[in-house]
Amino acid sequence: ETGVTQTPRHLVMGMTNKKSLKCEQHLGHNAMYWYKQSAKKPLELMFVYNFKEQTENNSVPSRFSPECPNSSHLFLHLHTLQPEDSALYLCASSLQGSEQFFGPGTRLTVL
Amino acid sequence: GDSVTQMEGPVTLSEEAFLTINCTYTATGYPSLFWYVQYPGEGLQLLLKATKADDKGSNKGFEATYRKETTSFHLEKGSVQVSDSAVYFCALSDNDYKLSFGAGTTVTVRA
């Protein structure tokens, strides 16, 4: 049990659908992250939130829209995705300067 | 900027063999260093960490020593098991909210 949960674990969606990924942590951490992990590619940091404020957006396309309503919850809203967006989306949380704790990921398939 | 370079895989070993995965880093400050492991179908888990020079992190039979003079943090295990088959990531944190990850090394242990 890592303390970081993600739902759903698997998601299949069409290119015209709108869906959301959810991440939750109850570790008392102040920072939360979204990563994209594609086959045969390095782990890509997408967004960083620190005390609910977005501090990093690594040139992520606008079809990915993050939301952090509080320090324990993080969402990734998806709309009009492309097949190349199919990947494992990982959420993580941490305290500043400390190790990140990862959730199990959401396996996303875009048809 | 900060970066991590780890040996490319894949690495295939027999059970009870000795495993080494090389990792070197570039950082402007005095980073903390981490090894994460990702088992098939799961998110990343922290395997071990070291926060200052000459520290040795250890867990589950794995060890890594923070070598400032060679800017390295090589992962070793003396006798691997089939259950050690996974992807291993070296990472550093320069006391901010971000981790810099290596590309990952896939390890397969055969019975």
Side-chain angles (χ1 to χ4, degrees):
Chain A
E1 175 58 57
T2 64
V4 180
T5 59
Q6 290 186 244
T7 54
R9 292 294 307 275
H10 301 272
L11 179 61
V12 179
M13 59 187 290
M15 290 190 285
T16 58
N17 291 159
K18 288 186 181 180
K19 297 287 184 183
S20 295
L21 309 185
K22 179 182 177 182
C23 176
E24 189 170 349
Q25 61 91 7
H26 295 289
L27 300 170
H29 292 165
N30 53 275
M32 297 188 77
Y33 311 77
W34 279 117
Y35 289 88
K36 177 183 178 182
Q37 188 177 34
S38 305
K40 302 190 189 303
K41 279 187 171 183
L43 205 59
E44 299 174 54
L45 177 64
M46 300 174 72
F47 301 104
V48 181
Y49 277 83
N50 178 20
F51 289 106
K52 303 187 299 176
E53 298 298 320
Q54 188 181 121
T55 57
E56 185 115 1
N57 175 341
N58 276 346
S59 304
V60 180
S62 59
R63 57 186 184 270
F64 294 91
S65 174
E67 179 190 0
C68 189
N70 55 62
S71 293
S72 299
H73 295 85
L74 184 65
F75 296 89
L76 188 62
H77 304 299
L78 316 171
H79 62 99
T80 59
L81 295 192
Q82 304 299 311
E84 60 264 29
D85 296 323
S86 299
L88 181 68
Y89 288 85
L90 292 165
C91 174
S93 69
S94 76
L95 290 171
Q96 181 179 7
S98 186
E99 64 267 27
Q100 292 180 15
F101 290 78
F102 284 79
T106 295
R107 174 67 63 187
L108 174 67
T109 302
V110 181
L111 302 176
Chain B
D2 297 344
S3 67
V4 174
T5 303
Q6 64 182 99
M7 69 184 264
E8 293 185 17
V11 175
T12 302
L13 303 164
S14 297
E15 238 178 350
E16 299 183 4
F18 184 86
L19 170 67
T20 298
I21 304 176
N22 290 340
C23 172
T24 57
Y25 67 89
T26 302
T28 52
Y30 300 93
S32 295
L33 301 174
F34 309 89
W35 276 101
Y36 282 83
V37 59
Q38 185 176 31
Y39 299 105
E42 299 183 12
L44 277 68
Q45 300 175 27
L46 180 67
L47 181 59
L48 54 83
K49 68 176 183 179
T51 57
K52 61 183 187 296
D54 300 324
D55 269 2
K56 177 186 283 188
S58 61
N59 186 24
K60 299 181 180 179
F62 289 89
E63 292 183 342
T65 301
Y66 190 144
R67 301 284 188 201
K68 188 170 183 292
E69 64 276 13
T70 54
T71 62
S72 65
F73 193 54
H74 305 321
L75 182 69
E76 297 181 337
K77 184 172 185 180
S79 177
V80 294
Q81 305 300 312
V82 172
S83 57
D84 294 323
S85 297
V87 183
Y88 293 83
F89 294 90
C90 185
L92 73 82
S93 172
D94 207 355
N95 295 318
D96 61 11
Y97 287 93
K98 294 196 301 180
L99 279 177
S100 297
F101 282 93
T105 302
T106 300
V107 173
T108 303
V109 180
R110 300 174 304 195

